[in-house]
Amino acid sequence: MTGFDLDWYQTLFEFIDMRSFSNLWFWIALAVVWSTTSHYGLGVPFDMVLRAKRQGGQAETDLEDLVRINTNRLLFITQMSGLWIAGFACFFLTMLSLLGFVYGVEFAQALILLGFPLSLVGMLSISTARLIQEEDARGETLRKRLMRHRIYTQIIGMISIFITALWGMYQNLSVGPLAG
């Protein structure tokens, strides 16, 4: 290899940092995940909730139908294979926690800081779907449930982003720039 090739590879790997918390793509993915998660509560876009509140009529019917379809689907999956999903999720979250915080694998730390709060949102979604189905929520009651679900999701997201940012800054300051 010539000196130019080595410089090119070094420059490329400095630009595309392979560590998670100093990688711009991780932070973009984190923002997109939480933005999407808070916009689509129970698989229902939030603009549909606002449109149903403003317009009523067909928009309200569409919202109720979409919520009914998504809550029935979510509760069916939970009833049929919820224990298996919970078991695998706990296994993977535990594995990531051990790899990340016991063995110091930064990629696993990034995944657990993203995955654990999303698992909380998943449990919140199951709880909200059950409440909607038990109440047979419609109209104003349904919109209030979806709004509350969105607010709780945003709170979980804000706390998650804050903790991830603190841990990422700590990692970047403690590891320092890559030795070259």
Side-chain angles (χ1 to χ4, degrees):
M1 267 208 256
T2 65
F4 176 74
D5 291 337
L6 185 60
D7 290 340
W8 185 81
Y9 285 119
Q10 184 176 0
T11 303
L12 179 67
F13 279 108
E14 284 178 4
F15 180 69
I16 306 171
D17 192 353
M18 295 303 171
R19 295 181 302 147
S20 297
F21 297 113
S22 59
N23 191 331
L24 178 63
W25 292 109
F26 170 74
W27 296 105
I28 292 172
L30 183 73
V32 168
V33 162
W34 283 111
S35 174
T36 304
T37 301
S38 68
H39 182 68
Y40 290 96
L42 296 176
V44 178
F46 186 67
D47 60 288
M48 279 188 76
V49 177
L50 295 178
R51 194 173 329 117
K53 183 177 182 178
R54 275 187 256 124
Q55 296 175 359
Q58 186 61 44
E60 186 86 40
T61 304
D62 291 346
L63 174 69
E64 290 172 357
D65 289 343
L66 187 56
V67 169
R68 180 185 45 79
I69 291 167
N70 287 343
T71 55
N72 286 342
R73 182 175 176 270
L74 180 61
L75 293 175
F76 176 76
I77 291 170
T78 302
Q79 289 170 353
M80 296 309 293
S81 55
L83 287 176
W84 283 101
I85 293 170
F88 282 119
C90 289
F91 169 76
F92 284 115
L93 290 174
T94 302
M95 180 186 67
L96 287 173
S97 296
L98 290 173
L99 282 172
F101 298 108
V102 174
Y103 293 105
V105 178
E106 190 172 312
F107 184 67
Q109 293 172 0
L111 288 178
I112 193 68
L113 288 171
L114 189 59
F116 178 71
L118 287 175
S119 70
L120 296 178
V121 171
M123 290 187 293
L124 176 67
S125 296
I126 292 168
S127 173
T128 303
R130 279 201 180 118
L131 287 172
I132 288 171
Q133 196 174 59
E134 286 172 4
E135 295 174 338
D136 193 28
R138 298 183 184 283
E140 182 66 26
T141 307
L142 178 62
R143 288 194 307 271
K144 283 183 179 179
R145 268 287 162 226
L146 293 173
M147 288 285 278
R148 190 173 301 133
H149 177 79
R150 182 170 195 240
I151 289 169
Y152 291 157
T153 300
Q154 288 176 332
I155 290 170
I156 292 169
M158 286 187 300
I159 293 169
S160 170
I161 290 170
F162 179 73
I163 291 172
T164 303
L166 285 179
W167 186 257
M169 285 188 285
Y170 169 74
Q171 285 295 99
N172 288 334
L173 291 173
S174 66
V175 172
L178 289 174

